[in-house]
């Protein structure tokens, strides 16, 4: 992970990392001093202190892995929990180092060894790794010899720190801190080691833990229940203090409870420490089994509670906010003010999609009366680092951290420069403002950061490229108009500058329809009438309305007959697979591969059967569907439209 960037984010939420940590530590330490909860005299006198420190710390790797499994790592509370765990880890390692120096009879040797290894990692090992990353060509692979050397070096670092009087964990930990995150080096190391660690060594280790647990070692249920109660009180105190800290940040108490549950997540690191204590004869089999049960019980309770209580698609609301947390703020193209600045979020997975996105932005016809602010987001899958990131790209920044950023993500720099160069050197230079971003997150939760940015910047339109591996479903979580651009083999962007969305529009209607669709059909008719009233008589606009009778198969046949010289086809996203009979579904089975994301007609039009796949398709989905679902649950009085927007510099305007 990138230590400097994570610490910079953690300083804003340091109270969540400090106060719950000390609340857990103090409560457990206090209970162990009471005669009722004192440990047996067979244990060393320092064992209560060791257990208090071990159970109070928030292990960053454990919390990160669990949030990733719960699909909450990119959520707002998930980001706060990660930052708080980093602060907790720093405090924990500082305490371990200071206590070891203070209690060690050879404290001078220990301090010298620790500082020497720290200087070696920062001033020798880190520059060497950056040199390897710099010499690796963009998009290329790190040499196998370097990968093997780094893997052996991690093991050697553990042995070296153990020989120097430190713990063998500190060596690999420091090596991971100084390693440059992301591609190409960190991603290559993860790809080469993840398989054997996650699918071979880790299961074997947990099997060893399971075999080491001995339930027959329990001799006194009184001691077992007392220890369980002490741990439970510590976890409850952490949740209560997290709730109070949330109030200091003007958050709702419910969010504080959820954060407390996230910080209580325990896992393999705590079990590993208990295993080491058992190997050193500090605890016996009874205590070890009881502590492992505490970890298992905590994991079994916290994860389901977090998943039940926290809905990441709802933004964090202030406790003094007048709006209810179920309130939805709608920003779509339909309710966007005319002759005003239009904000657009344009997402890109790879460099080949830049041309199509630029053509779409040009087709919006920006003018001085209708300028465009384009938030260009490069979407990258989370690999080679532990924390997701949404970061604005500053191409003019020449600080060392930014130089390393451009080195690790050269594609992001190229994409940002492509957007800026094209719009700055064209006739749209004064009316289009490009603000590039980088979003690193797992594909299944990538929509959290995109939707949050659109919410914060009051963006009414989000355009994402279609990717079969991206199942984040932006269209189901955004309260904005979402367009999915399917552009496989087209020449979008190479057409004349007069290209426009409204070059030709078709409407296919069907006489047989359900009563539930009456409201949507009325809305469609109203939109068509509004379009004709504003564009009728314009020689550059041609409108056709075609009515089809005879069922869904006739609609398919008519659409297939409308193949022509189109620059772009726009279609609404609507899933009506249940209205097809078996014969029709079998005849058009090739069109339903991605119907869940693109809708029935969107999947058909984007297939190679329509214009040989040479025509790009923009599948549009409005946040109105999300509003209708919410109306059924909370009523109409809690829904409103916000017309605020941002200017080209990203500042709020009322």
């Amino acid at each position: 992970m990138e230590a400097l960037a994570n610490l910079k984010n953690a300083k804003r939420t340091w109270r969540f990392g400090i106060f719950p940590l000390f609340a857990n530590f103090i409560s457990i330490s206090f209970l162990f001093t009471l005669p009722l909860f004192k440990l047996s005299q067979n244990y060393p006198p320092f064992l209560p202190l060791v257990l208090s420190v071990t159970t109070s710390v928030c292990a960053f790797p454990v919390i990160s892995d669990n949030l990733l499994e719960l699909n909450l790592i990119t959520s707002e509370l998930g980001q706060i929990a990660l930052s708080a765990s980093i602060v907790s880890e720093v405090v924990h390692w500082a305490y371990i180092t200071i206590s070891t120096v203070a209690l060690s009879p050879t404290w001078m040797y220990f301090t010298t060894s620790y500082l020497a290894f720290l200087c070696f990692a920062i001033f020798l090992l880190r520059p060497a790794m950056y040199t390897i990353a710099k010499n690796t060509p963009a998009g290329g692979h790190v040499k196998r010899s370097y990968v093997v050397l780094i893997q052996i070096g991690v093991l050697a670092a553990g042995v070296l720190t153990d020989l120097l009087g430190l713990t063998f964990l500190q060596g690999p930990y420091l090596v991971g801190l100084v390693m440059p995150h992301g591609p190409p080096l960190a991603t290559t190391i993860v790809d080469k080691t993840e398989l054997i660690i996650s699918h071979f060594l880790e299961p074997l280790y947990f099997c060893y833990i399971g075999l080491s647990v001995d339930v027959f070692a329990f001799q006194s249920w009184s001691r077992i229940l007392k220890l369980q109660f002490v741990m439970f009180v510590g976890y409850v105190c952490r949740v209560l203090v997290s709730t109070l800290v949330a109030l200091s940040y003007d958050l709702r108490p419910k969010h504080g409870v959820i954060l407390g549950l996230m910080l209580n997540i325990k896992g393999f690191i705590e079990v590993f420490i208990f295993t080491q204590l058992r190997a050193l004869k500090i605890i016996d089999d009874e205590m070890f089994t009881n502590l492992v049960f505490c970890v298992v019980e905590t994991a079994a309770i916290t994860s389901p509670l977090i998943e039940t209580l926290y809905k990441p698609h709802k933004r964090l609301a202030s406790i003094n906010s007048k709006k209810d947390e179920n309130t939805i703020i709608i920003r779509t193209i339909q309710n966007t003010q005319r002759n005003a600045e239009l904000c657009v979020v344009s997402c890109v997975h790879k460099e080949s999609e830049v041309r199509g996105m630029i053509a779409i932005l040009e087709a919006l016809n920006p003018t001085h009366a209708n300028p465009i602010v384009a938030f260009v987001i490069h979407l990258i899958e989370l690999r080679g680092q532990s924390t997701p990131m949404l970061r604005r790209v500053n191409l003019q920044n020449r600080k060392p951290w930014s130089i390393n950023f451009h080195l690790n993500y050269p594609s992001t720099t190229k994409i940002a420069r492509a957007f800026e160069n094209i719009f700055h050197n064209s006739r749209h230079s004064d009316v289009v403002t490009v603000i590039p971003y980088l979003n690193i997150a797992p594909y299944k939760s990538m929509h959290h950061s995109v939707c949050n940015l659109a919410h914060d910047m009051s963006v009414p339109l989000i355009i994402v490229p279609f990717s079969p591996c991206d199942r984040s479903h932006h269209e189901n979580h955004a309260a904005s108009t979402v367009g999915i651009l399917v552009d496989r083999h087209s020449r979008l962007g190479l057409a004349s500058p007069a290209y426009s969305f409204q070059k030709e529009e078709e409407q296919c209607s069907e006489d047989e329809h359900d009563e539930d669709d009456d409201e949507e059909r009325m809305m469609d008719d109203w939109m068509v009438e509004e379009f004709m009233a504003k564009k009728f008589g314009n020689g550059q606009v041609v409108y056709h309305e075609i009515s089809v009778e005879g069922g869904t198969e006739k609609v398919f046949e008519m659409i297939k007959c409308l193949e022509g010289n189109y620059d772009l086809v726009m279609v609404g996203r609507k899933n009506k697979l249940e209205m097809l009979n078996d014969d029709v579904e079998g005849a058009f089975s090739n069109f339903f591969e991605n119907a869940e994301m693109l809708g029935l007609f969107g999947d058909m039009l984007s297939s190679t059967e329509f214009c040989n796949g040479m025509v790009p398709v923009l599948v549009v989905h409005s946040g109105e569907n999300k509003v209708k679902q919410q109306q059924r649950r909370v009523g109409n009085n809690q829904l409103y439209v916000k017309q605020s927007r941002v200017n080209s510099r990203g500042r709020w305007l009322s």
Side-chain angles (χ1 to χ4, degrees):
M1 63 180 176
E2 183 63 28
L4 295 178
N6 290 332
L7 289 176
K8 184 178 179 180
N9 295 330
K11 69 180 183 180
R12 292 176 293 183
T13 56
W14 63 271
R15 278 174 279 183
F16 282 110
I18 297 294
F19 294 114
L21 169 68
F22 281 103
N24 195 336
F25 174 78
I26 293 173
S27 60
I28 294 178
S29 300
F30 173 74
L31 289 178
F32 276 135
T33 60
L34 299 179
L36 181 62
F37 299 102
K38 275 190 175 181
L39 298 178
S40 174
Q41 296 181 355
N42 298 328
Y43 299 113
F46 58 84
L47 181 59
L49 179 62
V50 174
L51 294 180
S52 301
V53 173
T54 303
T55 56
S56 60
V57 68
C58 306
F60 174 81
V62 175
I63 294 178
S64 177
D65 290 344
N66 279 268
L67 292 179
L68 185 62
E69 184 178 353
L70 294 173
N71 198 20
L72 298 176
I73 195 169
T74 57
S75 63
E76 292 177 303
L77 291 184
Q79 292 287 289
I80 296 176
L82 289 178
S83 300
S85 64
I86 293 174
V87 176
S88 176
E89 287 270 24
V90 172
V91 174
H92 174 253
W93 283 105
Y95 172 79
I96 293 296
T97 303
I98 294 174
S99 60
T100 305
V101 171
L103 299 177
S104 176
T106 58
W107 63 271
M108 183 63 71
Y109 171 76
F110 176 84
T111 305
T112 305
S113 302
Y114 190 86
L115 293 177
F117 184 79
L118 191 63
C119 293
F120 168 77
I122 295 176
F123 298 107
L124 292 179
L125 192 59
R126 182 179 177 86
M129 290 187 177
Y130 270 100
T131 302
I132 295 174
K134 185 177 181 180
N135 294 333
T136 303
H141 299 282
V142 181
K143 293 183 179 180
R144 184 176 301 177
S145 58
Y146 292 149
V147 175
V148 175
L149 186 62
I150 292 175
Q151 292 173 337
I152 296 176
V154 172
L155 299 177
V159 176
L160 181 61
T161 53
D162 189 47
L163 293 177
L164 293 176
L166 311 175
T167 62
F168 71 93
L169 291 176
Q170 289 178 318
Y173 190 83
L174 289 176
V175 172
L177 285 177
V178 301
M179 179 179 294
H181 72 295
L185 186 58
T187 53
T188 303
I189 297 297
V190 171
D191 293 339
K192 298 296 183 181
T193 58
E194 185 178 19
L195 179 63
I196 188 173
I197 292 177
S198 301
H199 299 281
F200 182 72
L201 296 179
E202 190 174 354
L204 287 179
Y205 177 73
F206 284 116
C207 288
Y208 167 75
I209 296 299
L211 294 175
S212 301
V213 172
D214 185 9
V215 294
F216 298 102
F218 290 151
Q219 298 179 358
S220 174
W221 283 101
S222 175
R223 292 199 300 265
I224 296 172
L225 295 178
K226 288 179 181 179
L227 182 61
Q228 296 276 347
F229 178 78
V230 170
M231 298 300 170
F232 176 76
V233 170
Y235 297 150
V236 171
C237 289
R238 187 195 296 272
V239 174
L240 294 178
V241 174
S242 298
T243 305
L244 297 177
V245 173
L247 297 178
S248 68
Y249 282 102
D250 201 20
L251 296 177
R252 296 182 183 274
K254 176 183 176 181
H255 298 147
V257 173
I258 297 173
L259 276 171
L261 293 174
M262 289 181 177
L263 297 177
N264 274 331
I265 295 176
K266 304 298 177 184
F268 64 93
I269 288 186
E270 289 79 11
V271 174
F272 176 78
I273 295 176
F274 298 150
T275 305
Q276 293 299 111
L277 295 177
R278 178 172 172 266
L280 296 174
K281 305 298 183 181
I282 297 177
I283 60 176
D284 54 11
D285 292 341
E286 180 184 0
M287 177 69 72
F288 173 76
T289 303
N290 200 359
L291 292 174
V292 172
F293 279 174
C294 289
V295 173
V296 174
E297 292 167 0
T298 304
I301 294 174
T302 55
S303 296
L305 283 178
I306 293 171
E307 197 169 9
T308 302
L309 295 176
Y310 185 39
K311 306 302 179 183
H313 62 273
K314 297 180 181 179
R315 299 302 305 276
L316 296 184
S318 170
I319 189 174
N320 298 322
S321 177
K322 297 181 180 180
K323 301 186 297 294
D324 184 78
E325 65 176 359
N326 291 323
T327 302
I328 293 180
I329 301 176
I330 312 166
R331 304 179 189 89
T332 62
I333 291 294
Q334 291 178 245
N335 55 53
T336 301
Q337 295 179 354
R338 300 185 182 275
N339 298 325
E341 187 177 70
L342 175 64
C343 297
V344 180
V345 170
S346 179
C347 301
V348 176
H349 287 287
K350 49 190 177 181
E351 297 179 28
S352 59
E353 298 168 348
V354 172
R355 186 182 65 189
M357 286 295 174
I358 292 177
I360 293 293
L361 294 177
E362 290 180 342
L364 293 175
N365 192 24
T367 61
H368 289 282
N370 303 92
I372 291 179
V373 178
F375 298 94
V376 180
I377 306 179
H378 184 202
L379 305 177
I380 298 179
E381 184 182 7
L382 180 65
R383 293 171 57 243
Q385 62 185 75
S386 301
T387 55
M389 178 175 63
L390 177 64
R391 181 177 181 269
R392 181 171 176 176
V393 180
N394 189 355
L395 299 178
Q396 284 72 36
N397 194 350
R398 293 299 177 183
K399 294 181 180 180
W401 195 90
S402 296
I403 295 176
N404 296 332
F405 169 82
H406 298 314
L407 175 64
N408 294 337
Y409 303 101
S411 298
T412 303
T413 304
K414 293 179 181 179
I415 291 173
R417 291 190 185 278
F419 274 90
E420 290 192 352
N421 292 338
I422 289 178
F423 284 112
H424 288 174
N425 298 327
S426 66
R427 59 188 178 91
H428 302 302
S429 58
D430 297 333
V431 294
V432 177
T433 302
V434 178
I435 304 178
Y437 279 84
L438 172 64
N439 182 22
I440 303 176
Y443 273 130
K444 61 181 180 180
S445 59
M446 195 172 284
H447 60 276
H448 289 155
S449 301
V450 176
C451 295
N452 290 344
L453 179 64
H455 178 276
D456 295 337
M457 298 301 177
S458 299
V459 176
L461 176 61
I462 303 174
I463 304 176
V464 296
F466 172 73
S467 177
C469 59
D470 184 3
R471 296 290 176 176
S472 53
H473 299 291
H474 300 79
E475 66 279 2
N476 293 334
H477 298 85
S480 306
T481 300
V482 180
I484 304 176
L485 179 62
V486 185
D487 187 17
R488 293 190 177 96
H489 311 291
S490 73
R491 299 176 59 85
L492 186 63
L494 300 181
S496 62
Y499 170 83
S500 176
F501 276 131
Q502 292 83 15
K503 187 171 183 179
E504 185 166 350
E505 181 175 331
E506 301 87 12
Q507 177 183 351
C508 298
S509 60
E510 184 181 357
D511 291 339
E512 298 178 1
H513 60 277
D514 299 332
E515 295 181 358
D516 297 337
D517 296 337
D518 289 341
E519 183 179 354
E520 295 185 6
R521 293 173 63 86
M522 292 177 60
M523 180 66 69
D524 293 340
D525 294 339
W526 177 79
M527 292 297 298
V528 171
E529 293 176 359
E530 182 185 14
F531 172 77
M532 294 179 63
K534 293 181 179 180
K535 298 298 182 181
F536 187 78
N538 189 341
Q540 297 180 351
V541 177
V542 179
Y543 171 77
H544 294 283
E545 181 175 348
I546 302 175
S547 299
V548 180
E549 298 181 358
T552 307
E553 61 274 12
K554 296 295 183 180
V555 177
F556 286 144
E557 294 177 1
M558 180 56 64
I559 292 178
K560 191 172 177 58
C561 294
L562 294 177
E563 296 181 356
N565 297 323
Y566 304 112
D567 293 323
L568 179 67
V569 175
M570 295 180 61
V571 63
R573 175 181 175 269
K574 189 175 182 181
N575 295 316
K576 286 290 184 179
L577 293 178
E578 63 275 6
M579 70 182 181
L580 302 178
N581 54 46
D582 296 336
D583 296 336
V584 176
E585 187 173 358
F588 297 94
S589 59
N590 295 332
F591 298 144
F592 305 144
E593 296 179 358
N594 302 291
E596 182 181 356
M597 292 184 62
L598 303 178
L600 186 62
F601 293 100
D603 193 15
M604 186 199 69
L605 294 174
S606 61
S607 66
T608 56
E609 301 293 332
F610 182 75
C611 294
N612 297 322
M614 299 300 294
V615 176
V617 178
L618 185 65
V619 181
V620 181
H621 178 73
S622 177
E624 300 291 343
N625 291 346
K626 185 176 180 180
V627 174
K628 291 179 181 179
Q629 296 175 2
Q630 195 74 359
Q631 282 178 338
R632 301 188 187 102
R633 184 165 65 251
V634 301
N636 297 330
N637 56 343
Q638 291 180 297
L639 303 173
Y640 67 99
V641 178
K642 186 173 182 180
Q643 296 287 355
S644 60
R645 55 190 178 87
V646 293
N647 61 5
S648 59
R649 297 184 180 180
R651 298 178 180 176
W652 286 96
L653 296 177
S654 58

